[in-house]
Amino acid sequence: MAISAQELEFNKNDDAIRMMISEMEQRLAKIELGGGKKRIDKLHAKGKLTARERIEKLVDPGTEVLEIGAFVGDGMYEEYGGCPSGGVVIKIGYVSGRQAIIVANDATVKAGAWFPITGKKNLRAQEIAMENHLPIIYLVDSAGVFLPLQDEIFPDKEHFGRIFRNNAVLSSMGITQIAAVMGSCVAGGAYLPIMSDESLIVDKTGTIFLAGSYLVKAAIGESIDNETLGGATTHTSISGVCDYKAKDDEDCLNTIRDLMSRIGEQEKAGFDRIEAVAPKEEEREIYGILPRDRAKPYNVKDIIKRLVDNSEFTEYKEDYGKTIVTGYARIDGWSVGIVANQREILKTSKGEMQFGGVIYNDSADKASRFIMVCNQKNIPLVFLQDVTGFMVGSKSEHAGIIKDGAKMVNAMSNSVVPKFTVIMGNSYGAGNYAMCGKAYDPRLIVSWPTANLAVMSGASAAKTLLQIEIASMKAKGEEPNEEEQQKLYDKIKSRYDAQISPYYSAARLWVDAIIDPLETRKVISMGIEMANHKKSEQRYNVGAIQT
C-alpha cells in the first residue's frame, strides 16, 4: 500500500525528533559521569557516594524526580577541564512523602568547587524553594570557590554571598533547610550548613572549617590535622556547630529522611485537582506532528490534545485572535489555563491572511484577558511557546501593536498564579517575553530538543549581520564577491545557530531543563504540586488590562 505524502511527512518528523532525543540522552549520560569514572572510583574508595548516588538513596523509591540544570556548564570553562552540571546536582523529588528540592555538590568535578555558573545554579534552587515554600536539602561536599575565577563569583549581588543571605531569608519564611556535610566544607562555604535549620556531619569524611590545616599553619603557626580541627566529633561534641553525627553516607541520608518525615503541614494555595486521566490521543504522535523544519506550520491544538487529560480542551475565544490559542484543560488532574502560539497560517473573518507563530493585536488582547480570568479563578498558567515575535508593518503599528503587546506583557508580568513555560519550537524576540520567558519568573521553564532561543532566527540574524559586515568592508575599500559573501554568511550563521541551540540556553540556565516532550505532563504536574505549597500573598491588578 502506498504511503501518503502526509504520512511520509509525519514519519520524517518522527524520525527527526527521535534523533534529537537520542542525542540528548547521550549528552546526559556523559554529563552524569561528572568528573569521570576514575574520580568516581576514588570517591568510592573513601567510602563516599557520588552526588547522584546520594540523591538516589535519599528520595522515595519509585517516585518521580525532576532534575534542574543538568546541562548547566555544558561547553563552558573548557580551559579548566569543563564543569559538568556546574559541579552540582539539583533535583526536585519526594523525601518521606514530602516534596523537596535537593542540592548536592559533585566532588568529582574539581572537588566540588564553585564556578560562576555553580553559584547561579545554587541561587536558582533557592529561588525555587522561596517561590514555592519548598523544603531544601543541601548535601555538602565542596572545596569552596574555584580560585582562578574568584572575581566572577565572590563580591557581586548575585554571587556566592547571596547564598547565605538566602539561607537567612528562607529561615525567616519558615521554609525548612537541612544541610548534611558529607565531605569538605571550607572557608565562606562553611556558613551554609550552619545557617540552615538543622545540620548533619558524616564521621571521618565530613569536615567544616574557615581555614584548613595548611592555611592555619601558614597563618598562625599552629600544627593540627583536619579531623581534629573540624571533623564530626569536634563539631558535635566540642563546638556544637552540627546537630547530628552520622557514621557514613547512608546513615546520614536515613537521618535526613527521618527529619523530613516530621515536618508539619502548611496552608496550601488551593489549586484544583481531580483524579488524573491519560490523554485520549496518543502522546507519542507529538513527534510526528511537530515539523522538523521550524518554519513549517502545524496546528498547536493537535499538540495540546496529546498533553491534556482525556484530550479535553475548552477553548476561550476560539474564533478571535487565532494566532494565540487559549483555553482550559487538566494536566495530571490539575486545572490549568493554556496559552499557546498557533503556527497554522490563518485567514481572518475579513479574509486577511495571518502568519503562524506571530502575535497580532487581537491575539495579544485575547491572551491578556484570558490571563486575567485565570488569575480571578486561581488557575495556574501554562505557556506553550513557538513564537517568532509580534507582527510588524504599518498596519499593525497604526492599530497599536505596541500598546496591545504591552498589555499582554503587563498582564503576564503581574500574574499572581504560578506560570509554567514550555518552549516547543521558536522563542524569538519580544515573543519570548510576552509568552513568559525566563525574565518573567515562570516557576519552571523547560524546552524540548526542538527549541530555538534568540532575538531572531539564525537566517534573519545572519542576513542582518552580513549586511553590516559588507558595509564595513566597503567603507574600507573592499568589495567582496558573491562567493566571499556566501562564505561570510555561512560563517556568521554557523556561529549564530550554535547560540540559538537549546543546549546553549540550558548551559547558561536560561531554561531549567531540556526534556523529552513526553515528560511535559510530569514537569507541569510536579511544578503545580510544589507551587501549591504557597498561597499567593497579593491580589491581581485587574484594572491594568481592562481597557
Side-chain angles (χ1 to χ4, degrees), residues 308 327-331 334-338 374 379-382 524 528:
V308 302
Y328 303 105
R330 290 188 181 273
I331 294 180
W334 293 104
S335 173
V336 297
I338 294 175
C374 286
I379 299 173
L381 287 159
V382 175
I524 293 171
I528 298 175

Side-chain angles (χ1 to χ4, degrees), residues 157-296:
K157 181 178 179 180
E158 299 298 332
H159 284 177
F160 193 69
R162 189 76 172 181
I163 304 289
F164 314 131
R165 175 264 186 193
N166 286 351
N167 286 141
V169 172
L170 282 156
S171 287
S172 75
M173 293 172 69
I175 299 170
T176 297
Q177 297 178 89
I178 299 172
V181 179
M182 308 179 80
S184 297
C185 184
V186 302
Y191 288 104
L192 184 145
I194 314 312
M195 293 191 72
S196 298
D197 301 306
E198 291 182 286
S199 61
L200 306 86
I201 187 168
V202 178
D203 195 22
K204 300 297 186 290
T205 56
T207 53
I208 310 174
F209 33 64
L210 295 180
S213 56
Y214 292 123
L215 188 54
V216 168
K217 177 68 174 176
I220 64 173
E222 180 184 3
S223 295
I224 189 170
D225 64 88
N226 282 339
E227 183 63 27
T228 306
L229 179 66
T233 299
T234 296
H235 284 311
T236 54
S237 64
I238 299 174
S239 72
V241 163
C242 291
D243 306 311
Y244 307 92
K245 180 167 75 170
K247 62 182 180 181
D248 55 27
D249 278 13
E250 294 209 27
D251 182 41
C252 180
L253 298 172
N254 286 335
T255 303
I256 294 172
R257 290 180 56 79
D258 179 68
L259 296 173
M260 284 290 293
S261 72
R262 301 173 188 279
I263 298 174
E265 289 292 332
Q266 297 194 9
E267 186 180 12
K268 304 291 187 184
F271 303 127
D272 184 63
R273 191 182 197 184
I274 61 174
E275 186 177 348
V277 181
K280 188 182 294 183
E281 303 288 345
E282 176 55 53
E283 287 182 72
R284 289 186 182 276
E285 290 178 355
I286 290 173
Y287 295 167
I289 293 167
L290 199 69
R292 61 194 184 284
D293 181 348
R294 299 301 326 119
K296 285 189 175 181

Side-chain angles (χ1 to χ4, degrees), residues 10 14 17-18 277-289 302-309 311 331 448 516-522:
F10 183 97
D14 186 272
I17 197 168
R18 286 178 188 273
V277 181
K280 188 182 294 183
E281 303 288 345
E282 176 55 53
E283 287 182 72
R284 289 186 182 276
E285 290 178 355
I286 290 173
Y287 295 167
I289 293 167
D302 292 335
I303 300 287
I304 292 171
K305 288 176 182 177
R306 286 157 178 84
L307 291 177
V308 302
D309 288 15
S311 300
I331 294 180
W448 292 355
D516 183 328
L518 302 185
E519 294 280 287
T520 305
R521 281 170 56 82
K522 180 190 89 170

